Amino acid sequence: DIVMTQTPLSSPVTLGQPASISCRSSQSLVHSDGNTYLSWLQQRPGQPPRPLIYKISNRFSGVPDRFSGSGAGTDFTLKISRVEAEDVGIYYCMQATHFPWTFGQGTKVEIK
Amino acid sequence: EVQLVESGGGLVQPGRSLRLSCIVSGFTFGDHGMSWFRQAPGKGLEWVGFIRSKGYGGTTENAASVKGRFSISRDDSKSIAYLQMNSLKTEDTAVYYCARFARYDSSGNSVATVDYWGQGTLVTVSS
């Protein structure tokens, strides 16, 4: 199974400041079709997961442009350019390139 | 509006069975694969399994932790996905989510992502 490792596991951030979350996979997430199926999800307290980003860097409809994804191969990053109060929650990376699909442990973003 | 609503959760004794349902609306169910995930209390997300659309064979994939005990099926005529859970263990206690799989975007590009989630249903396995 592919192991997804997120760092940090906790990220206290001042409102208006940037935040960055790293996700590293134990093997390449490049699919045989040439695409990389790495997604990011946000889970606010008491809510189901909300998809933010797919295929490394593509935002879902309605996701603010302060969220951006980047990376390639085995190293990926989610950045929030200016953290707002509504961004508090746990962020997960997920790979759907290989079965079984796997998640990172989650990174808790909280306001300092 | 796309909606996914899980039902069927509850308290069940170890070794017993339970079937969860995921009723969807707002899209053509038969065109999409469906996946189940779970989240144990205070823990992270775990993928449980996936069923392809009939157009892609309708076949399933399951996590090793549930293989041989859980099975996923679908009824395209009713727009429902099912998760049949047998031989339940205490460690299966979790909120179970169903989610829609999108293979392509509107431009025909491969996206292979989960784009809509239900609200979840709690399954508690305890004696």
Side-chain angles (χ1 to χ4, degrees):
Chain A
D1 297 2
I2 295 177
V3 176
M4 307 293 286
T5 304
Q6 287 182 231
T7 54
L9 297 184
S10 178
S11 180
V13 186
T14 301
L15 285 172
Q17 293 300 302
S20 181
I21 302 169
S22 171
C23 175
R24 181 165 291 176
S25 57
S26 59
Q27 61 188 81
S28 174
L29 298 185
V30 179
H31 193 273
S32 56
D33 67 7
N35 292 302
T36 300
Y37 299 116
L38 184 283
S39 300
W40 290 95
L41 302 94
Q42 173 197 63
Q43 189 172 32
R44 293 172 172 147
Q47 295 293 312
R50 170 198 181 195
L52 294 177
I53 302 273
Y54 64 95
K55 272 175 62 176
I56 302 177
S57 59
N58 297 272
R59 280 188 301 275
F60 281 97
S61 176
V63 174
D65 61 7
R66 64 178 180 274
F67 291 94
S68 64
S70 62
T74 61
D75 286 287
F76 307 94
T77 302
L78 176 71
K79 291 183 179 177
I80 310 175
S81 59
R82 294 173 304 279
V83 171
E84 298 189 4
E86 66 179 18
D87 300 336
V88 165
I90 300 176
Y91 291 78
Y92 297 92
C93 58
M94 185 192 98
Q95 68 83 19
T97 295
H98 305 284
F99 285 110
W101 297 352
T102 47
F103 290 89
Q105 318 96 300
T107 295
K108 188 173 187 178
V109 172
E110 52 194 355
I111 304 302
K112 204 183 287 186
Chain B
E1 181 191 7
V2 172
Q3 288 192 318
L4 297 85
V5 179
E6 303 92 339
S7 62
L11 175 63
V12 61
Q13 293 178 325
R16 304 298 290 265
S17 298
L18 205 61
R19 188 178 78 164
L20 305 184
S21 299
C22 173
I23 302 173
V24 314
S25 59
F27 66 97
T28 304
F29 179 72
D31 289 347
H32 289 267
M34 296 295 295
S35 194
W36 287 91
F37 299 87
R38 68 183 180 183
Q39 187 169 37
K43 301 297 185 182
L45 296 166
E46 180 186 12
W47 172 75
V48 172
F50 171 70
I51 185 165
R52 296 174 178 83
S53 64
K54 292 280 170 50
Y56 284 85
T59 52
T60 60
E61 306 285 343
N62 290 291
S65 58
V66 305
K67 199 165 286 186
R69 300 189 300 123
F70 290 12
S71 62
I72 299 175
S73 61
R74 61 189 298 151
D75 185 335
D76 288 1
S77 68
K78 296 180 179 178
S79 297
I80 302 178
Y82 299 102
L83 178 65
Q84 177 67 44
M85 305 185 293
N86 299 328
S87 303
L88 281 160
K89 305 175 181 180
T90 55
E91 53 263 40
D92 295 320
T93 293
V95 174
Y96 285 74
Y97 298 99
C98 66
R100 186 181 86 163
F101 178 76
R103 189 174 292 275
Y104 298 104
D105 64 14
S106 56
S107 301
N109 301 307
S110 178
V111 295
T113 189
V114 172
D115 59 355
Y116 289 93
W117 292 64
Q119 290 293 314
T121 187
L122 176 63
V123 172
T124 303
V125 184
S126 174
S127 55

